[in-house]
Amino acid sequence: MADPARAKRLAKRISTVVASAIEYEIKDPPLAFVTVTDTKVTGDLHDATVYYTVRGQTLQDEPDYAAAAAALERAKGTLRSKVGSATGVRFTPTLAFVLDKIPETSAHMEELLARARAADEDLARVRQGAKHAGDADPYRVAGAADDETSDDGA
């Protein structure tokens, strides 16, 4: 097993090489919207998992995940060759591409937090004019009950 620090350095280097190759060297239109977010390398340095996100062409467009995945599969051999020549390790790691759902998950969490804030604001508006039900002091006062019993019993 390799040194974890070496695996981390190799993962960072692979991430840089793959991102650069996707941006500047590989001319596949679906890859124009792919961003490499993270890379993990196994302890034996034989397999690398590259995490990526896909953005839409405009802010309103939905990203084309299937086209991006297919383009990455087509470019996998070229990317692995570039990683091998750029890293100089004895065995070039195999590349696996995994769609990173963190941006979508964080957007969903932001939406849920916004709904919770709106519900809290509605509750605060309702509470403003509200008052407690019943008497101000609903509990029996100890001194008043003792005085009544002592008068009747004597």
Side-chain angles (χ1 to χ4, degrees), residues 4 10 21 28 56 63 67 75 95 97 118 129 146 148 153:
L10 182 61
D28 199 349
L95 300 177
F97 295 97
D146 291 339
E148 289 176 15

Side-chain angles (χ1 to χ4, degrees), residues 11-122:
K12 188 172 182 179
R13 182 71 181 135
I14 290 172
S15 180
T16 304
V17 169
V18 169
S20 176
I22 286 173
E23 185 174 357
Y24 298 113
E25 297 173 25
I26 299 176
K27 303 298 181 203
D28 199 349
L31 290 181
F33 305 106
V34 171
T35 303
V36 175
T37 56
D38 194 17
T39 302
K40 303 281 185 203
V41 177
T42 58
D44 60 359
L45 306 180
H46 282 212
D47 299 308
T49 305
V50 179
Y51 296 92
Y52 67 95
T53 60
V54 182
R55 61 179 169 79
Q57 293 178 356
T58 64
L59 293 177
Q60 291 78 24
D61 286 349
E62 273 296 309
D64 192 0
Y65 298 116
L72 285 170
E73 278 301 312
R74 285 191 302 269
K76 187 184 280 190
T78 305
L79 291 171
R80 187 169 181 221
S81 298
K82 292 191 180 302
V83 166
S85 63
T87 57
V89 292
R90 185 182 333 171
F91 179 81
T92 303
T94 59
L95 300 177
F97 295 97
V98 176
L99 180 62
D100 193 358
K101 290 286 190 173
I102 289 178
E104 289 82 12
T105 304
S106 66
H108 180 66
M109 292 293 286
E110 288 295 327
E111 178 185 321
L112 292 175
L113 288 172
R115 275 198 242 156
R117 280 188 214 101
D120 286 347
E121 290 170 2
D122 289 343

